[in-house]
Amino acid sequence: MRLVACVKQVPDSEARVTPRPDRPVIDERDISFVLNPYDEYAVEEAVRIKEAKGESDVAVLCVGPPRSEEALRRCLAAGADRALRVWDDHLGDVDGAVVARLLALALERVGFDLVLCGRLAIDDAAGEVGGRVAELLGVAHATAVSALSVEGDRIIAEREVDSGLEVIELPLPSVITAQKGLNEPRYPAIPAIMKARRLPIQQLTVQELGVEPGALGDLSRRKVVTLDAVETERRRRRIEGEPDAVARDLALLLRDDARAL
Amino acid sequence: MDGVFVIIERLDDEPRRVTVEMLAQARQLAHELGASLTAVIAGPAGPRLAARLGELGAPSVLHLSHESLRAYSAQGYTWALAEALGERRPRAVLLAHSALARDLAPRLAARMDAAFVSDCTGWHVSDGALRLTRGVYGGKLQACVQVGQMHPAVVTFRPNALGVVPTPAAAAEVEHSPLAPPTGTVTTVVRGLVARSEGELGIQEARVIVAGGRGLGGPDGFDVLRPLADVLGGAIGASRTAVDSGWIGVDHQVGQTGKAVSPSLYIACGISGAVQHFAGMSSSKVIVAINKDPDAPIFERADYCVVGDLFEVVPRLTEELRSMLDTA
């Protein structure tokens, strides 16, 4: 079975992010980058399926700048067999529409039975790429999957719906996006990490995927105009005293000061 | 004339509240773009629904009423909506940021070769261009995103984030469409549904959330919070610690790896206020924090700060609010 996980490298959630003064992107200096947490579930699931089924191959694919290689090596250490990175210096602040297009082209080139993505990336929280890729590839998809099993040429997935969890059957090939709880990602052992450092990461240019760098802008559908720190000033009003008094004061403040009732 | 389309989510023949609040804003958005507004219903529905949408301000309703659309499927709805809207000069397709929208909207955007901007908390029109506001980097930064005018935009809005706008009622003009996805379009099969508990309000739709964290000490701690949530008509939320400890289900989790919520009132009990938790509730209008630890980070980002024992304060607060709301 050909399993492909699509991953992204993102700033650590603890990172102090500040917008650059000249462009609506963050200042990347001194930022710690990690593999997107939701992608960890995707990679782990792909590796588990390979381990359970045998005769399978796990590839990890990333559209990202050179620093993304660290995240790809993490995937290799966690059991992926090979890693590919697509990039072009014209990509800049990547639009999900462009990323999805490049991923779909790379996936067609690499070959796949099951594509696994994270349900969203914690930097832009767009949750866009998995669904777009499925449509571009013309295959079924399921979003926010928290349980998955492979049954021959179909998969059974539990996915998040507004009223709870839906059990859905999809034919292969298909795309799923991983939700927290799909599995417990393993911590790669040191030998695996060391070995991953020496594995090659295949680089793919957009030209090799059939896209002219100058045409990338035409594939974009939205543009970030401004990026600002969030201004919400909280009152930080302390309420002190015995529980009875505190409860009474808080209730009154919620009614009269905050008008929240 | 270009069209703005609102995809209606409903429970039987009643539109869901998250859609209703969006419909009112959509009317204004359409007006500022110089576009028409149409509410779109998928699947069979009685005439009451369209009439209700008119009361809520939709001048026209497009009803894709084929039986095959009764149950949602990503492939079926993508096909039907793209077919129906494709002939109607769609400028923007709006949805509430529900689980259904998270599954459908990106696929629909790809089908329509449209922009996709999700979980937006605001919008405005600048020189004829539609701009959306949304939180990024765990809510630490706010981005203003502009969509082009040469392609449609599929946009989802965070529930409760847009204000309620009064709208004049209209008698909606209803157009029925018999469009049905051809055989073979839908290749998935729904095998079952594990429903959330009866009567439990999903946290993303709730106007009030009472959330518990490590300070609850165990699953029973939520028993102290439930009466407070009930008296306020709210939902129960939880921090990652509480969920990872097995005290409550993951669908209650608020935070970066949980859900993003935007309630009018968020009461955090025994939650320290880690960055990742805050990422999920920073757009709450009013935040109350109750924690024994005077140095808990949450106190830096709350409106009302109670340093105290939640087991003492919460029951008393529940009673105060109960008598206050009973006599109101």
Side-chain angles (χ1 to χ4, degrees):
Chain A
M1 193 171 167
R2 297 164 303 174
L3 301 142
V4 186
C6 297
V7 304
K8 185 180 186 185
Q9 193 198 40
V10 296
D12 190 297
S13 57
E14 299 278 349
R16 284 193 187 289
V17 287
T18 44
R20 283 178 61 134
D22 58 334
R23 291 195 287 134
V25 295
I26 58 163
D27 185 337
E28 293 199 357
R29 295 172 301 178
D30 301 326
I31 295 235
S32 172
F33 284 93
V34 297
L35 174 63
N36 179 41
Y38 287 102
D39 298 348
E40 286 187 51
Y41 299 120
V43 173
E44 175 66 28
E45 196 64 16
V47 173
R48 286 187 187 203
I49 292 172
K50 176 183 87 164
E51 288 170 344
K53 280 188 66 70
E55 287 177 35
S56 299
D57 174 84
V58 175
V60 279
L61 185 50
C62 174
V63 174
R67 59 164 166 72
S68 309
E69 302 219 335
E70 198 180 316
L72 287 169
R73 293 204 185 283
R74 168 72 199 265
C75 299
L76 291 168
D81 299 297
R82 54 208 177 94
L84 302 92
R85 184 175 68 84
V86 179
W87 190 245
D88 186 280
D89 288 333
H90 291 86
L91 277 167
D93 172 31
V94 276
D95 176 348
V98 181
V99 171
R101 187 68 66 99
L102 295 172
L103 284 173
L105 290 166
L107 284 162
E108 273 165 347
R109 190 183 149 108
V110 152
F112 63 94
D113 294 302
L114 179 60
V115 180
L116 304 98
C117 306
R119 78 168 185 99
L120 55 80
I122 63 169
D123 52 2
D124 63 22
E128 170 176 20
V129 166
R132 277 193 185 271
V133 165
E135 174 59 28
L136 292 171
L137 295 173
V139 302
H141 85 280
T143 300
V145 171
S146 52
L148 185 61
S149 64
V150 180
E151 324 237 322
D153 61 352
R154 305 180 78 73
I155 56 171
I156 316 281
E158 259 180 40
R159 73 178 192 95
E160 182 184 283
V161 293
D162 290 293
S163 52
L165 289 173
E166 179 185 85
V167 181
I168 185 170
E169 204 178 282
L170 300 87
L172 294 173
S174 50
V175 175
I176 66 107
T177 78
Q179 169 62 292
K180 177 187 155 103
L182 177 57
N183 51 53
E184 286 279 345
R186 67 195 68 192
Y187 287 111
I190 301 285
I193 296 176
M194 300 303 294
K195 181 176 169 207
R197 290 224 178 103
R198 295 189 295 273
L199 289 171
I201 292 181
Q202 188 182 346
Q203 323 272 15
L204 278 173
T205 63
V206 301
Q207 291 97 321
E208 285 172 288
L209 293 177
V211 179
E212 279 311 306
L216 286 169
D218 297 335
L219 295 175
S220 179
R221 293 284 169 264
R222 57 104 177 120
K223 179 178 73 168
V224 177
V225 175
T226 61
L227 186 64
D228 297 297
V230 172
E231 289 299 332
T232 333
E233 260 310 304
R234 294 285 173 188
R235 289 177 178 87
R236 287 191 237 144
R237 182 162 173 170
R238 295 244 162 176
I239 303 165
E240 284 159 339
E242 292 302 309
D244 282 334
V246 162
R248 178 136 195 86
D249 289 347
L250 180 54
L252 287 169
L253 283 166
L254 286 176
R255 186 188 68 188
D256 303 330
D257 186 42
R259 298 189 195 284
L261 299 181
Chain B
M1 190 189 244
D2 286 352
V4 168
F5 297 88
V6 177
I7 309 302
I8 300 298
E9 285 194 60
R10 36 87 176 232
L11 217 48
D12 300 318
D13 280 0
E14 267 302 310
R16 288 179 67 204
R17 192 171 59 75
V18 291
T19 299
V20 170
E21 67 192 27
M22 225 181 39
L23 198 48
Q25 290 265 345
R27 201 181 154 100
Q28 202 169 322
L29 194 158
H31 173 72
E32 290 190 34
L33 287 177
S36 62
L37 174 67
T38 304
V40 184
I41 307 169
R48 193 179 117 86
L49 178 58
R52 185 84 187 99
L53 294 171
E55 285 165 27
L56 294 164
S60 67
V61 173
L62 173 59
H63 188 181
L64 308 177
S65 47
H66 197 271
E67 177 61 37
S68 63
L69 297 171
R70 179 183 294 278
Y72 166 79
S73 72
Q75 292 160 314
Y77 274 41
T78 297
W79 188 93
L81 289 168
E83 277 297 306
L85 301 188
E87 336 167 307
R88 292 173 163 85
R89 293 181 51 173
R91 180 81 191 268
V93 182
L94 313 182
L95 302 93
H97 194 68
S98 60
L100 185 148
R102 291 193 286 275
D103 189 60
L104 170 65
R107 189 172 192 126
L108 181 62
R111 174 70 63 97
M112 296 177 72
D113 197 11
F116 174 69
V117 191
S118 62
D119 205 17
C120 301
T121 50
W123 63 272
H124 64 277
V125 175
S126 172
D127 276 334
L130 177 59
R131 292 185 171 187
L132 292 320
T133 308
R134 60 192 303 277
V136 290
Y137 298 97
K140 288 176 236 175
L141 300 180
Q142 184 161 279
C144 174
V145 178
Q146 178 163 305
V147 293
Q149 300 189 50
M150 301 301 294
H151 299 270
V154 176
V155 180
T156 72
F157 286 100
R158 179 176 291 189
N160 294 323
L162 301 176
V164 178
V165 178
T167 355
E173 229 178 76
V174 185
E175 188 192 334
H176 286 273
S177 164
L179 280 176
T183 325
T185 305
V186 179
T187 62
T188 56
V189 179
V190 174
R191 286 286 178 228
L193 177 69
V194 180
R196 194 194 297 122
S197 326
E198 192 69 41
E200 227 179 65
L201 181 58
I203 57 172
Q204 286 180 304
E205 294 179 64
R207 287 214 171 101
V208 176
I209 295 176
V210 179
R214 184 193 301 267
L216 292 184
D220 296 343
F222 284 100
D223 295 340
V224 169
L225 304 189
R226 284 196 183 91
L228 179 57
D230 287 344
V231 100
L232 291 166
I236 291 289
S239 71
R240 182 175 177 159
T241 309
V243 170
D244 285 353
S245 304
W247 300 347
I248 195 165
V250 68
D251 53 320
H252 295 270
Q253 184 175 334
V254 172
Q256 188 141 69
T257 52
K259 297 197 166 86
V261 296
S262 195
S264 302
L265 176 59
Y266 191 89
I267 304 179
C269 307
I271 293 178
S272 61
V275 160
Q276 295 85 354
H277 185 77
F278 207 70
M281 36 68 81
S282 62
S283 59
S284 305
K285 290 188 191 54
V286 176
I287 298 175
V288 176
I290 304 171
N291 198 302
K292 258 185 176 161
D293 174 10
D295 298 322
I298 199 157
F299 290 135
E300 287 303 302
R301 297 176 174 133
D303 296 298
Y304 302 100
C305 308
V306 175
V307 179
D309 184 344
L310 68 98
F311 292 102
E312 298 287 338
V313 174
V314 171
R316 289 170 170 82
L317 178 63
T318 305
E319 285 321 301
E320 285 292 340
L321 290 169
R322 197 191 307 281
S323 53
M324 192 179 275
L325 293 168
D326 277 350
T327 56

